[in-house]
Tab-separated table of all heavy atoms in Angstrom:
chain	number	residue	atom	x	y	z
A	68	GLU	N	159.746	176.076	194.289
A	68	GLU	CA	161.113	175.565	194.192
A	68	GLU	C	162.045	176.755	193.991
A	68	GLU	O	161.923	177.499	193.024
A	68	GLU	CB	161.249	174.604	192.993
A	68	GLU	CG	160.332	173.397	193.048
A	68	GLU	CD	160.881	172.293	193.916
A	68	GLU	OE1	162.056	172.377	194.318
A	68	GLU	OE2	160.138	171.347	194.209
A	72	ARG	N	168.328	171.555	192.057
A	72	ARG	CA	168.844	170.335	192.678
A	72	ARG	C	170.000	169.787	191.840
A	72	ARG	O	170.121	170.084	190.645
A	72	ARG	CB	167.741	169.295	192.821
A	72	ARG	CG	167.127	168.829	191.523
A	72	ARG	CD	165.932	167.921	191.744
A	72	ARG	NE	165.282	167.593	190.486
A	72	ARG	CZ	165.619	166.568	189.716
A	72	ARG	NH1	166.594	165.762	190.090
A	72	ARG	NH2	164.986	166.331	188.584
A	196	VAL	N	166.811	161.492	183.046
A	196	VAL	CA	166.807	162.112	184.375
A	196	VAL	C	165.536	162.944	184.579
A	196	VAL	O	164.906	162.886	185.643
A	196	VAL	CB	168.066	162.979	184.572
A	196	VAL	CG1	167.952	163.858	185.815
A	196	VAL	CG2	169.304	162.092	184.681
A	197	ASN	N	165.134	163.693	183.563
A	197	ASN	CA	163.925	164.501	183.692
A	197	ASN	C	162.656	163.637	183.709
A	197	ASN	O	161.687	163.946	184.405
A	197	ASN	CB	163.855	165.528	182.566
A	197	ASN	CG	164.735	166.729	182.838
A	197	ASN	OD1	164.968	167.087	183.992
A	197	ASN	ND2	165.227	167.362	181.786
A	198	GLU	N	162.685	162.550	182.957
A	198	GLU	CA	161.553	161.624	182.988
A	198	GLU	C	161.409	161.029	184.387
A	198	GLU	O	160.300	160.891	184.916
A	198	GLU	CB	161.757	160.519	181.956
A	198	GLU	CG	160.561	159.587	181.812
A	198	GLU	CD	160.768	158.540	180.732
A	198	GLU	OE1	161.941	158.216	180.431
A	198	GLU	OE2	159.766	158.040	180.186
A	199	LYS	N	162.540	160.683	185.001
A	199	LYS	CA	162.516	160.142	186.370
A	199	LYS	C	162.001	161.188	187.362
A	199	LYS	O	161.259	160.854	188.309
A	199	LYS	CB	163.927	159.707	186.753
A	199	LYS	CG	164.094	159.194	188.180
A	199	LYS	CD	163.385	157.881	188.398
A	199	LYS	CE	163.883	157.147	189.645
A	199	LYS	NZ	163.994	157.939	190.851
A	200	ALA	N	162.367	162.461	187.182
A	200	ALA	CA	161.892	163.521	188.074
A	200	ALA	C	160.371	163.652	188.002
A	200	ALA	O	159.694	163.809	189.030
A	200	ALA	CB	162.557	164.850	187.713
A	201	LEU	N	159.817	163.579	186.797
A	201	LEU	CA	158.359	163.650	186.633
A	201	LEU	C	157.694	162.400	187.194
A	201	LEU	O	156.593	162.470	187.763
A	201	LEU	CB	158.011	163.813	185.156
A	201	LEU	CG	158.464	165.120	184.505
A	201	LEU	CD1	158.113	165.119	183.018
A	201	LEU	CD2	157.823	166.326	185.185
A	202	LEU	N	158.368	161.267	187.052
A	202	LEU	CA	157.836	160.011	187.594
A	202	LEU	C	157.773	160.080	189.121
A	202	LEU	O	156.766	159.693	189.736
A	202	LEU	CB	158.715	158.861	187.139
A	202	LEU	CG	158.251	157.438	187.452
A	202	LEU	CD1	157.005	157.099	186.650
A	202	LEU	CD2	159.362	156.445	187.143
A	203	ASP	N	158.823	160.583	189.743
A	203	ASP	CA	158.875	160.678	191.199
A	203	ASP	C	157.809	161.619	191.754
A	203	ASP	O	157.294	161.403	192.855
A	203	ASP	CB	160.258	161.156	191.655
A	203	ASP	CG	161.343	160.117	191.405
A	203	ASP	OD1	160.996	158.941	191.203
A	203	ASP	OD2	162.523	160.493	191.401
A	204	LYS	N	157.515	162.676	191.001
A	204	LYS	CA	156.516	163.652	191.447
A	204	LYS	C	155.094	163.240	191.071
A	204	LYS	O	154.134	163.936	191.420
A	204	LYS	CB	156.822	165.020	190.823
A	204	LYS	CG	158.132	165.643	191.277
A	204	LYS	CD	158.028	166.242	192.655
A	204	LYS	CE	159.285	167.012	193.018
A	204	LYS	NZ	159.210	167.615	194.363
A	205	GLY	N	154.947	162.125	190.357
A	205	GLY	CA	153.626	161.644	189.979
A	205	GLY	C	153.066	162.252	188.716
A	205	GLY	O	151.892	162.038	188.389
A	206	PHE	N	153.865	163.000	187.964
A	206	PHE	CA	153.369	163.624	186.733
A	206	PHE	C	153.436	162.675	185.540
A	206	PHE	O	152.994	163.016	184.447
A	206	PHE	CB	154.138	164.917	186.444
A	206	PHE	CG	153.800	166.019	187.400
A	206	PHE	CD1	154.581	166.258	188.506
A	206	PHE	CD2	152.673	166.790	187.210
A	206	PHE	CE1	154.273	167.266	189.400
A	206	PHE	CE2	152.345	167.795	188.101
A	206	PHE	CZ	153.148	168.036	189.205
A	207	ILE	N	154.029	161.497	185.749
A	207	ILE	CA	153.988	160.426	184.762
A	207	ILE	C	153.547	159.159	185.489
A	207	ILE	O	154.063	158.834	186.562
A	207	ILE	CB	155.361	160.206	184.096
A	207	ILE	CG1	155.758	161.417	183.260
A	207	ILE	CG2	155.333	158.960	183.218
A	207	ILE	CD1	157.090	161.272	182.561
A	208	ASN	N	152.611	158.454	184.900
A	208	ASN	CA	152.112	157.222	185.496
A	208	ASN	C	153.195	156.141	185.449
A	208	ASN	O	153.842	155.939	184.419
A	208	ASN	CB	150.862	156.749	184.735
A	208	ASN	CG	150.099	155.692	185.504
A	208	ASN	OD1	150.635	154.639	185.805
A	208	ASN	ND2	148.850	155.978	185.817
A	209	LYS	N	153.395	155.451	186.568
A	209	LYS	CA	154.459	154.461	186.653
A	209	LYS	C	154.269	153.309	185.660
A	209	LYS	O	155.243	152.748	185.150
A	209	LYS	CB	154.539	153.908	188.073
A	209	LYS	CG	155.036	154.918	189.091
A	209	LYS	CD	155.154	154.310	190.469
A	209	LYS	CE	155.694	155.346	191.459
A	209	LYS	NZ	155.828	154.786	192.840
A	210	THR	N	153.029	152.970	185.383
A	210	THR	CA	152.789	151.861	184.443
A	210	THR	C	153.174	152.237	183.021
A	210	THR	O	153.422	151.363	182.198
A	210	THR	CB	151.308	151.459	184.476
A	210	THR	OG1	150.489	152.582	184.117
A	210	THR	CG2	150.903	150.981	185.861
A	211	ALA	N	153.227	153.549	182.739
A	211	ALA	CA	153.535	153.998	181.378
A	211	ALA	C	154.993	153.787	181.013
A	211	ALA	O	155.347	153.798	179.830
A	211	ALA	CB	153.167	155.468	181.215
A	212	VAL	N	155.873	153.624	182.025
A	212	VAL	CA	157.297	153.487	181.732
A	212	VAL	C	157.807	152.064	181.952
A	212	VAL	O	158.997	151.812	181.827
A	212	VAL	CB	158.128	154.460	182.604
A	212	VAL	CG1	157.778	155.892	182.287
A	212	VAL	CG2	157.926	154.173	184.083
A	223	PHE	N	160.053	159.524	175.713
A	223	PHE	CA	160.039	160.830	176.365
A	223	PHE	C	161.210	161.688	175.925
A	223	PHE	O	162.360	161.250	175.911
A	223	PHE	CB	160.073	160.662	177.884
A	223	PHE	CG	160.074	161.973	178.631
A	223	PHE	CD1	158.883	162.610	178.941
A	223	PHE	CD2	161.265	162.573	179.010
A	223	PHE	CE1	158.878	163.823	179.619
A	223	PHE	CE2	161.279	163.785	179.680
A	223	PHE	CZ	160.075	164.406	179.989
A	228	TYR	N	158.177	167.439	175.443
A	228	TYR	CA	157.206	167.503	176.550
A	228	TYR	C	156.843	168.950	176.864
A	228	TYR	O	155.664	169.298	177.025
A	228	TYR	CB	157.793	166.815	177.777
A	228	TYR	CG	156.946	166.935	179.021
A	228	TYR	CD1	155.879	166.065	179.252
A	228	TYR	CD2	157.215	167.904	179.979
A	228	TYR	CE1	155.095	166.175	180.391
A	228	TYR	CE2	156.444	168.025	181.122
A	228	TYR	CZ	155.384	167.158	181.320
A	228	TYR	OH	154.609	167.274	182.450
A	234	THR	N	152.757	163.831	175.488
A	234	THR	CA	151.827	163.948	176.617
A	234	THR	C	151.708	162.601	177.327
A	234	THR	O	150.759	161.849	177.088
A	234	THR	CB	150.435	164.420	176.144
A	234	THR	OG1	149.986	163.541	175.089
A	234	THR	CG2	150.491	165.845	175.639
A	235	PRO	N	152.666	162.266	178.196
A	235	PRO	CA	152.581	160.990	178.925
A	235	PRO	C	151.400	160.975	179.890
A	235	PRO	O	150.934	162.023	180.359
A	235	PRO	CB	153.912	160.934	179.688
A	235	PRO	CG	154.368	162.343	179.783
A	235	PRO	CD	153.865	163.029	178.556
A	236	THR	N	150.908	159.794	180.184
A	236	THR	CA	149.778	159.645	181.100
A	236	THR	C	150.194	160.059	182.507
A	236	THR	O	151.166	159.525	183.051
A	236	THR	CB	149.298	158.184	181.127
A	236	THR	OG1	148.991	157.771	179.796
A	236	THR	CG2	148.069	158.038	182.017
A	237	PRO	N	149.490	161.024	183.127
A	237	PRO	CA	149.880	161.471	184.469
A	237	PRO	C	149.453	160.463	185.534
A	237	PRO	O	148.500	159.695	185.357
A	237	PRO	CB	149.138	162.793	184.629
A	237	PRO	CG	147.944	162.669	183.745
A	237	PRO	CD	148.378	161.823	182.582
A	238	GLY	N	150.141	160.491	186.683
A	238	GLY	CA	149.773	159.655	187.811
A	238	GLY	C	148.515	160.171	188.497
A	238	GLY	O	148.141	161.346	188.345
A	239	ASN	N	147.845	159.312	189.255
A	239	ASN	CA	146.586	159.686	189.902
A	239	ASN	C	146.765	160.770	190.962
A	239	ASN	O	145.895	161.619	191.154
A	239	ASN	CB	145.944	158.453	190.538
A	239	ASN	CG	145.520	157.431	189.499
A	239	ASN	OD1	145.155	157.800	188.380
A	239	ASN	ND2	145.560	156.152	189.861
A	240	GLN	N	147.942	160.769	191.657
A	240	GLN	CA	148.108	161.687	192.770
A	240	GLN	C	148.191	163.153	192.350
A	240	GLN	O	147.945	164.047	193.158
A	240	GLN	CB	149.346	161.324	193.605
A	240	GLN	CG	150.661	161.315	192.840
A	240	GLN	CD	151.012	159.949	192.302
A	240	GLN	OE1	150.137	159.256	191.776
A	240	GLN	NE2	152.262	159.559	192.438
A	241	VAL	N	148.550	163.413	191.079
A	241	VAL	CA	148.669	164.818	190.671
A	241	VAL	C	147.303	165.479	190.525
A	241	VAL	O	147.210	166.702	190.448
A	241	VAL	CB	149.461	164.954	189.345
A	241	VAL	CG1	150.847	164.388	189.482
A	241	VAL	CG2	148.723	164.308	188.190
A	242	ARG	N	146.246	164.697	190.496
A	242	ARG	CA	144.908	165.266	190.393
A	242	ARG	C	144.319	165.589	191.769
A	242	ARG	O	143.212	166.115	191.864
A	242	ARG	CB	143.987	164.296	189.655
A	242	ARG	CG	144.482	163.937	188.253
A	242	ARG	CD	143.496	163.053	187.516
A	242	ARG	NE	144.036	162.566	186.258
A	242	ARG	CZ	144.050	163.251	185.126
A	242	ARG	NH1	143.536	164.463	185.091
A	242	ARG	NH2	144.569	162.731	184.027
A	243	SER	N	145.075	165.282	192.816
A	243	SER	CA	144.581	165.543	194.165
A	243	SER	C	144.930	166.966	194.608
A	243	SER	O	145.719	167.661	193.974
A	243	SER	CB	145.187	164.534	195.144
A	243	SER	OG	146.574	164.777	195.305
A	245	LYS	N	146.770	167.743	196.986
A	245	LYS	CA	148.135	167.814	197.477
A	245	LYS	C	149.118	168.277	196.402
A	245	LYS	O	150.256	168.630	196.705
A	245	LYS	CB	148.565	166.445	198.004
A	245	LYS	CG	147.804	166.003	199.250
A	245	LYS	CD	148.305	164.653	199.740
A	245	LYS	CE	147.561	164.210	200.984
A	245	LYS	NZ	148.038	162.894	201.481
A	246	ASN	N	148.681	168.255	195.155
A	246	ASN	CA	149.538	168.703	194.057
A	246	ASN	C	149.823	170.199	194.231
A	246	ASN	O	148.913	171.016	194.218
A	246	ASN	CB	148.839	168.445	192.716
A	246	ASN	CG	149.706	168.818	191.528
A	246	ASN	OD1	150.789	169.373	191.667
A	246	ASN	ND2	149.207	168.518	190.336
A	247	PRO	N	151.099	170.606	194.374
A	247	PRO	CA	151.416	172.028	194.568
A	247	PRO	C	151.236	172.872	193.309
A	247	PRO	O	151.177	174.105	193.400
A	247	PRO	CB	152.877	172.006	195.005
A	247	PRO	CG	153.429	170.755	194.387
A	247	PRO	CD	152.308	169.767	194.400
A	248	LEU	N	151.171	172.237	192.135
A	248	LEU	CA	151.023	172.983	190.887
A	248	LEU	C	149.546	173.176	190.583
A	248	LEU	O	148.772	172.223	190.583
A	248	LEU	CB	151.707	172.249	189.734
A	248	LEU	CG	153.193	171.896	189.931
A	248	LEU	CD1	153.763	171.299	188.651
A	248	LEU	CD2	153.992	173.103	190.367
A	255	PRO	N	144.212	171.340	190.297
A	255	PRO	CA	145.544	170.743	190.135
A	255	PRO	C	145.961	170.690	188.665
A	255	PRO	O	145.160	170.398	187.782
A	255	PRO	CB	145.368	169.335	190.716
A	255	PRO	CG	144.201	169.429	191.631
A	255	PRO	CD	143.280	170.435	191.013
A	256	ARG	N	147.229	170.990	188.424
A	256	ARG	CA	147.785	170.964	187.074
A	256	ARG	C	148.487	169.635	186.843
A	256	ARG	O	149.229	169.156	187.708
A	256	ARG	CB	148.750	172.141	186.898
A	256	ARG	CG	149.437	172.220	185.557
A	256	ARG	CD	149.790	173.675	185.202
A	256	ARG	NE	150.468	174.379	186.257
A	256	ARG	CZ	151.797	174.440	186.415
A	256	ARG	NH1	152.588	173.798	185.556
A	256	ARG	NH2	152.335	175.120	187.395
A	257	THR	N	148.294	169.037	185.680
A	257	THR	CA	148.838	167.699	185.396
A	257	THR	C	150.094	167.723	184.536
A	257	THR	O	150.687	166.676	184.284
A	257	THR	CB	147.785	166.823	184.694
A	257	THR	OG1	147.377	167.466	183.482
A	257	THR	CG2	146.578	166.621	185.601
A	258	THR	N	150.497	168.898	184.068
A	258	THR	CA	151.733	169.010	183.285
A	258	THR	C	152.673	170.007	183.945
A	258	THR	O	152.243	170.908	184.667
A	258	THR	CB	151.457	169.450	181.836
A	258	THR	OG1	150.752	170.691	181.847
A	258	THR	CG2	150.641	168.403	181.099
A	259	VAL	N	153.954	169.846	183.667
A	259	VAL	CA	154.991	170.663	184.289
A	259	VAL	C	155.595	171.603	183.254
A	259	VAL	O	155.758	171.231	182.082
A	259	VAL	CB	156.084	169.744	184.880
A	259	VAL	CG1	157.289	170.538	185.334
A	259	VAL	CG2	155.522	168.935	186.044
A	265	ILE	N	161.194	171.862	188.463
A	265	ILE	CA	161.307	170.411	188.654
A	265	ILE	C	162.282	169.794	187.656
A	265	ILE	O	163.061	168.903	187.993
A	265	ILE	CB	159.916	169.751	188.536
A	265	ILE	CG1	159.020	170.226	189.690
A	265	ILE	CG2	160.013	168.238	188.516
A	265	ILE	CD1	157.590	169.750	189.589
A	266	LEU	N	162.237	170.281	186.419
A	266	LEU	CA	163.101	169.747	185.368
A	266	LEU	C	164.476	170.400	185.420
A	266	LEU	O	164.616	171.574	185.766
A	266	LEU	CB	162.452	169.985	184.000
A	266	LEU	CG	161.085	169.335	183.788
A	266	LEU	CD1	160.502	169.756	182.453
A	266	LEU	CD2	161.188	167.812	183.880
Side-chain angles (χ1 to χ4, degrees):
E68 301 278 350
R72 62 187 174 88
V196 168
N197 280 331
E198 186 177 25
K199 177 68 162 47
L201 295 177
L202 187 68
D203 291 342
K204 295 283 187 180
F206 289 96
I207 294 181
N208 195 300
K209 291 182 178 180
T210 59
V212 297
F223 179 86
Y228 174 83
T234 53
T236 305
N239 295 328
Q240 58 267 43
V241 301
R242 302 184 188 278
S243 69
K245 293 181 180 180
N246 183 354
L248 305 186
R256 178 152 49 91
T257 58
T258 57
V259 171
I265 295 174
L266 300 175

